[in-house]
Structures are given as structure tokens and as C-alpha cells.
Amino acid sequence: MASCIPLTKMAEQMNLKNMTPEIDISQIKVHVPDINRPALQLTGYFDHFAYERVQIVGYVEYTYLQGIPMEQKLPIYEKFVSFKIPCIIFTSKTEPDTELLNLCNIYGVPVFHTEKATSNFMAEIIRWMNEELAPCISIHGVLVDVFGEGVLIMGESGIGKSEAALELIKRGHRLVSDDVVEIRKISDVTLMGTAPDITRHFIELRGIGIIDVKTLYGVESVKNNQSIDMVIKLEEWDREKEYDRLGLEEEYTEFLGNKVVCHSIPIRPGRNLAIIVETAAVNHRQKKMGYNAAQELYNRVQQNLVKRREN
């Protein structure tokens, strides 16, 4: 899990205009993925002030401040910026007072401005900060976007995960990560997978070496991140083991407290892994849309048994 976000990274990602260039923001970091609109604080009420959050001043706060005499605002401004605030962001149609900028320079509180509307900007920055500061783990596997479904392929080293991913890429699907997948818990229902920067868009094939998928197959063959919708575990065929042949009961695996549908696929010579993964992804998508082929077959069998009894 990333414990903080450098303010320089946030300013660059959100395309913020720095209104206090005299302040060195290279050492300032944001530690919480929440924002605060300082409504009550601008009236002088500072109890329970969430000063550790990014402060956003929207049009409502701005118009309120415009109607207050400067001698009344100055002590509120000074108390406001005296807290250890990461930064203040003014949205469209708003701009900071000169007196506020002077106090921010004195107390070392950066001030930014964005042209985006308050609601749109808040939604964007909260989503981005939640993703950056989300709990994160790294696992051994291959993540591929198959028909829009994020399929995480897992299994022992050398079992054929990368070869299956390469065949899927040649069939028009997109690689997210090979060998190491970083999984972030965006919410209680969403896991986002991505590749470490150093291995992004590369695949290791035993006997050949490292290949650059983006260079060989084009930009349409890769993707930077993808939600993880299902897991496929590849394992050696075991004659003694009973494998699920109907799929009536869903099996799950868990990452960071979130459950993900999981299928165990036995590997034997001659099995086309890419087609199996592709079919599993389409079938999973069909189930999400309300149709379960296994359940449909079960219902037909039951209906047929009922008809036989009646006859």
C-alpha cells in the first residue's frame, strides 16, 4: 500500500495551476484519500477540522467569503492556514484573495487552481486518490483483458501462463501484466490489477526470452490496468482428483478481503488454453447478465424427469 502521494504528482495528474510558486512542494505529501470543503471553518468553527485532508474551495465558499469584510476574514484565514494543511485548491469561477495567498506563503501552505467545476473535480480527485492509496499486494500470475473481463491466470512456474497470454494477445485480447500483478482494493467489490513499472508490457517466454508485446503487436494489444473479474488456476492433471464438470457451484478465491470467482483448469497435452480462458470469460460475462448454462441444463433434466413420472 502506498502510504502517501507526493503533492507534485497530484498537481501534475490533476493539471493544477500553482498559485504559490514560492513554496517548495517537493517534500509535501498527501496521506489520506479524502477531501474537505471548509465551510464551517470559514465561519470560524474549527472543532473537528479535518486539516490532514486536501482542502477544496468551491463557488459556494467563495461567494460566502466575498460578502465578509476583510478585517473579519483575516483572523479566520490565519487560523485556517496555521493548521498543517496539505494544500488548498480553488475550483472554476473562484480565486484566492491576495491576503490569503500572502498568509499561505508565510505558513507554507500551497494553493492551486483548477478550471474544472467543483463536483466534477471532487469526483475525479477522490477516485484517483482512492486508487493511489488503496491497499496493494503483489502476486505471481498473468492478467489479461478478455472481452472486457479481467482474467487473472495463476499456476505453478512453467505451467504455461505466459504462453496462454500470448495466444490470447494474438486472438485480439490485451495484456495487462505478466509474471507479477499488483492488485489494489479500490472498494469492497472492486479489485484493480496493474503491472509494475519495470515489467510493464513485457512477457517472458522460456526458450525465447523477454519480448515487448507493445512493440511486437501494437498499442491495441496492451492495457495499463484492469479490474479483476475472475481467476483461472492452471494445475497439472491429476487422475485421482474429481474436477467440476457442470459448474453449478461457484468457487471463489480471496484477495484483500474481496472474493473473486475462481476456476481450476487441469492441464493436459493438447488442450488449447487460450480458447478455454476465452470461453470461461464469455461464460462468466453471460452469468453476470443473468444466464447460467449449467443451471439451464439442470432445469431441463428436472423437467424431463417430471414428464417421465407423469407418463
Side-chain angles (χ1 to χ4, degrees):
M1 179 194 308
S3 59
C4 60
I5 304 172
L7 195 59
T8 50
K9 182 177 181 180
M10 188 185 77
E12 180 181 357
Q13 186 71 28
M14 295 292 110
N15 195 25
L16 301 176
K17 178 184 177 183
N18 192 349
M19 307 290 289
T20 51
E22 301 88 355
I23 299 175
D24 179 16
I25 65 172
S26 62
Q27 301 302 316
I28 300 176
K29 294 176 173 58
V30 179
H31 295 271
V32 293
D34 301 305
I35 59 96
N36 181 62
R37 291 186 69 174
L40 288 174
Q41 286 74 44
L42 296 178
T43 67
Y45 182 80
F46 285 91
D47 291 355
H48 314 293
F49 176 33
Y51 61 85
E52 73 281 0
R53 302 181 182 182
V54 171
Q55 307 294 314
I56 295 182
V57 177
Y59 187 67
V60 174
E61 293 84 6
Y62 174 73
T63 52
Y64 169 77
L65 290 171
Q66 293 301 103
I68 300 177
M70 185 54 65
E71 60 272 14
Q72 185 178 340
K73 283 192 288 188
L74 276 177
I76 294 175
Y77 280 167
E78 184 159 12
K79 188 169 184 181
F80 178 54
V81 300
S82 66
F83 287 86
K84 199 118 179 114
I85 298 171
C87 68
I88 306 171
I89 302 175
F90 284 78
T91 57
S92 65
K93 299 181 181 179
T94 68
E95 57 183 23
D97 295 334
T98 304
E99 291 77 10
L100 177 60
L101 286 176
N102 292 336
L103 286 169
C104 285
N105 280 314
I106 293 171
Y107 283 91
V109 177
V111 180
F112 298 98
H113 183 268
T114 177
E115 295 296 332
K116 296 175 183 176
T118 307
S119 297
N120 293 339
F121 178 73
M122 285 172 57
E124 183 179 347
I125 194 171
I126 290 172
R127 179 201 60 78
W128 180 76
M129 287 197 299
N130 273 324
E131 187 169 325
E132 289 291 312
L133 293 173
C136 179
I137 58 172
S138 296
I139 60 101
H140 181 64
V142 177
L143 181 58
V144 188
D145 175 0
V146 182
F147 295 124
E149 299 291 314
V151 181
L152 178 61
I153 306 172
M154 301 177 67
E156 295 294 328
S157 181
I159 201 167
K161 301 183 296 296
S162 298
E163 289 81 355
L166 188 61
E167 179 64 25
L168 286 166
I169 292 165
K170 291 182 68 176
R171 293 174 68 87
H173 306 294
R174 293 186 287 179
L175 173 74
V176 180
S177 182
D178 176 64
D179 193 42
V180 177
V181 181
E182 293 181 349
I183 300 177
R184 287 181 170 81
K185 182 177 179 177
I186 305 302
S187 71
D188 289 338
V189 295
T190 304
L191 293 171
M192 189 67 67
T194 187
D197 292 338
I198 196 168
T199 60
R200 181 165 290 140
H201 307 153
F202 289 103
I203 280 184
E204 176 198 354
L205 294 175
R206 281 173 173 78
I208 296 177
I210 305 298
I211 66 169
D212 187 337
V213 173
K214 183 178 178 182
T215 301
L216 284 179
Y217 298 101
V219 292
E220 71 276 5
S221 65
V222 295
K223 192 174 183 181
N224 286 338
N225 53 55
Q226 171 67 38
S227 61
I228 298 175
D229 300 296
M230 66 179 300
V231 174
I232 289 183
K233 289 184 178 179
L234 305 180
E235 57 184 53
E236 296 285 352
W237 180 278
D238 184 356
R239 290 182 178 274
E240 305 301 320
K241 183 176 179 179
E242 286 291 331
Y243 294 101
D244 186 7
R245 300 182 64 180
L246 291 179
L248 283 172
E249 298 290 333
E250 293 278 27
E251 295 183 5
Y252 296 89
T253 189
E254 192 172 297
F255 299 108
L256 297 169
N258 284 21
K259 288 185 176 181
V260 184
V261 173
C262 179
H263 298 287
S264 295
I265 307 295
I267 303 301
R268 294 185 76 179
R271 299 199 81 183
N272 191 321
L273 292 181
I275 290 180
I276 293 173
V277 172
E278 204 173 58
T279 304
V282 174
N283 189 53
H284 180 70
R285 190 171 185 177
Q286 196 175 46
K287 286 181 180 179
K288 290 199 300 186
M289 297 173 69
Y291 180 81
N292 188 324
Q295 189 64 49
E296 177 66 21
L297 175 60
Y298 177 78
N299 292 340
R300 289 184 187 182
V301 171
Q302 293 297 107
Q303 291 169 7
N304 189 50
L305 290 174
V306 171
K307 287 181 181 178
R308 286 187 178 183
R309 291 195 193 100
E310 292 174 350
N311 294 334

